[in-house]
Amino acid sequence: MRIEYDIKLGFKDVMIRPKRSTLKSRAQVNLDREFKFLNSKATWRGVPIMAANMDTVGTFEMAMALMEHCIFTAIHKHYSVAEWNHFLSKAPKGIENFIAISTGTGAKDAEKLAEVLSQNKNLKFICIDVANGYSEHFVNFVQNTRNLYPDKVIIAGNVVTGEMVEELLLSGADIIKVGIGPGSVCTTRVKTGVGYPQLSAIIECADAAHGLGGQIISDGGCATPGDVAKAFGAGADFVMLGGMLAGHDESGGELIEKNGEKFKQFYGMSSATAMEKHVGGVAEYRASEGKTVEVPYRGKVIQTVQDILGGIRSTCTYVGAQRLKELTKRTTFIRVAEQENRIYNK
Ligand code: 5GP
């Protein structure tokens, strides 16, 4: 047994220090980023926020709404081949730049992926997603997927440490998804004791990825636009959101009415709800590692998107970053023992 004594930080442990700025208005801030990916050599331009590949977030409807703002959706993995074909036959031109097809690492997953991709050659992004990105089987799956699809952009995760980011990039991934345990409906830290505070995970993994020319996605733990800004400030190239995009018309999940108030169901992809829905129950040898909650219904996602983008633009003006790309260079985090004043919060 070993103990690492240097403290690891989460979003709640820091704030961003304001800096002198010549920017007059938030409207001057450009949130677009352009990336060239390490292994596929593809390029991408857009606002680097991603809807999570959860079936109560990353739906086809969400992708259509977010694409209007050049925001990306990792589509959840439970759509059938027929549903994919139907969606892509109707979606507007350019959608392939703003969606990823998600897959697990089982033989059936690989078969379905091959089928969808063979029938929809314009799909560009593959998101290989497992709860624990530290297994040899996962690394082999990433390598095989790269060999099969040399031109596709491969997202792989989740991991939280630099050495595994490097291993996945060297195995053929382009973008590494970072986060174990911070998610709003995740219970991994409670069930297993495993995890890594998200801000430190971003800082360390971004450093490793950027050293090799790769990118990272900060996945999980953002509860406010300020957290999204902190994730970018820490060095995330993309920020993936689950709970912040749940509860909308486009989010999927059941609409529930209770005493005249509306809610939407939102659940973790390893929750008992998800496992019952998709694989017929929780297998005996495992525990569910996700919650099922009801979140207040919030109408169309556009208002939430504007709130998030407005918040990040404002962060950029506070530190004098005219482009999102400059935010991390202009970020100094201060360690804090307080966040917002909650006196009037319910
Ligand atoms: P959020 O933005 O809601 O804080 O986090 C979203 C992320 O939580 C997802 O992208 C995914 O990485 C993670 N997640 C989703 N469902 C589960 C689950 O059931 N268990 C765990 N451990 N993580 C989950």
Side-chain angles (χ1 to χ4, degrees):
M1 193 279 295
R2 257 189 75 216
I3 300 185
E4 281 185 21
Y5 284 99
D6 56 325
I7 193 148
K8 303 296 176 187
L9 304 170
F11 298 127
K12 69 172 196 334
D13 301 314
V14 299
M15 285 186 223
I16 298 171
R17 195 175 198 262
K19 292 211 166 104
R20 275 188 66 238
S21 162
T22 53
L23 292 174
K24 287 205 196 97
S25 147
R26 286 163 215 198
Q28 285 174 280
V29 175
N30 180 353
L31 296 183
D32 270 12
R33 290 221 49 190
E34 196 167 328
F35 296 112
K36 180 163 188 194
F37 299 116
L38 176 65
N39 289 303
S40 61
K41 309 292 179 208
T43 55
W44 181 85
R45 191 188 168 93
V47 176
I49 292 176
M50 290 181 164
N53 46 316
M54 304 169 73
D55 58 358
T56 46
V57 181
T59 63
F60 289 143
E61 295 76 22
M62 183 64 78
M64 295 300 285
L66 295 185
M67 183 198 164
E68 298 292 317
H69 302 271
C70 297
I71 293 176
F72 197 96
T73 302
I75 304 285
H76 70 75
K77 72 172 185 182
H78 297 294
Y79 284 115
S80 67
V81 178
E83 285 169 322
W84 266 104
N85 291 347
H86 179 70
F87 170 67
L88 289 171
S89 69
K90 293 195 327 185
K93 211 165 164 270
I95 189 81
E96 67 276 9
N97 292 314
F98 294 101
I99 52 172
I101 175 165
S102 300
T103 177
T105 57
K108 285 225 166 79
D109 293 315
E111 269 169 39
K112 186 164 112 187
L113 179 68
E115 212 177 324
V116 177
L117 291 179
S118 72
Q119 292 173 38
N120 299 283
K121 299 223 168 359
N122 61 339
L123 273 175
K124 257 191 184 163
F125 287 79
I126 302 171
C127 176
I128 309 173
D129 187 23
V130 295
N132 171 6
Y134 284 77
S135 80
E136 201 177 359
H137 172 71
F138 173 65
V139 176
N140 292 339
F141 191 91
V142 171
Q143 277 167 353
N144 289 341
T145 309
R146 171 53 69 211
N147 293 339
L148 286 170
Y149 310 106
D151 306 328
K152 305 286 182 200
V153 181
I154 296 180
I155 299 169
N158 280 22
V159 299
V160 284
T161 50
E163 90 284 359
M164 211 56 205
V165 167
E166 287 169 2
E167 168 135 15
L168 291 171
L169 288 172
L170 296 172
S171 301
D174 293 296
I175 315 174
I176 310 302
K177 208 145 76 73
V178 172
I180 293 187
S184 58
V185 282
C186 165
T187 56
T188 294
R189 291 175 183 176
V190 182
K191 290 282 168 81
T192 68
V194 175
Y196 214 95
Q198 188 66 4
L199 192 90
S200 289
I202 299 168
I203 294 169
E204 294 170 29
C205 292
D207 189 48
H210 297 162
L212 289 180
Q215 278 82 26
I216 67 155
I217 302 167
S218 168
D219 176 20
C222 288
T224 61
D227 292 339
V228 181
K230 288 173 188 175
F232 282 124
D237 301 289
F238 295 85
V239 178
M240 181 172 267
L241 304 175
M244 286 182 74
L245 298 177
H248 298 92
D249 289 333
E250 299 86 349
S251 310
E254 216 181 301
L255 185 66
I256 299 154
E257 269 200 70
K258 274 188 191 163
N259 307 324
E261 278 185 78
K262 288 183 180 163
F263 298 86
K264 277 200 114 175
Q265 197 183 40
F266 173 49
Y267 49 82
M269 294 312 291
S270 311
S271 64
T273 310
M275 287 196 260
E276 270 150 30
K277 192 163 173 197
H278 301 298
V279 291
V282 182
E284 241 170 63
Y285 60 87
R286 63 180 291 177
S288 108
E289 287 180 24
K291 295 178 208 168
T292 300
V293 296
E294 287 162 11
V295 296
Y297 167 66
R298 293 191 277 167
K300 296 234 169 287
V301 75
I302 164 92
Q303 271 126 19
T304 301
V305 165
Q306 279 165 352
D307 195 47
I308 297 169
L309 300 186
I312 304 168
R313 280 201 190 91
S314 187
T315 312
C316 287
T317 56
Y318 270 112
V319 300
Q322 184 154 17
R323 295 181 301 155
L324 182 58
K325 185 174 187 220
E326 295 160 19
L327 180 57
T328 181
K329 285 189 215 108
R330 298 196 60 92
T331 294
T332 302
F333 287 119
I334 48 170
R335 288 281 312 278
V336 296
E338 63 173 39
Q339 286 286 331
E340 92 276 29
N341 186 333
R342 299 182 62 84
I343 189 164
Y344 295 120
N345 292 23
K346 273 196 258 172

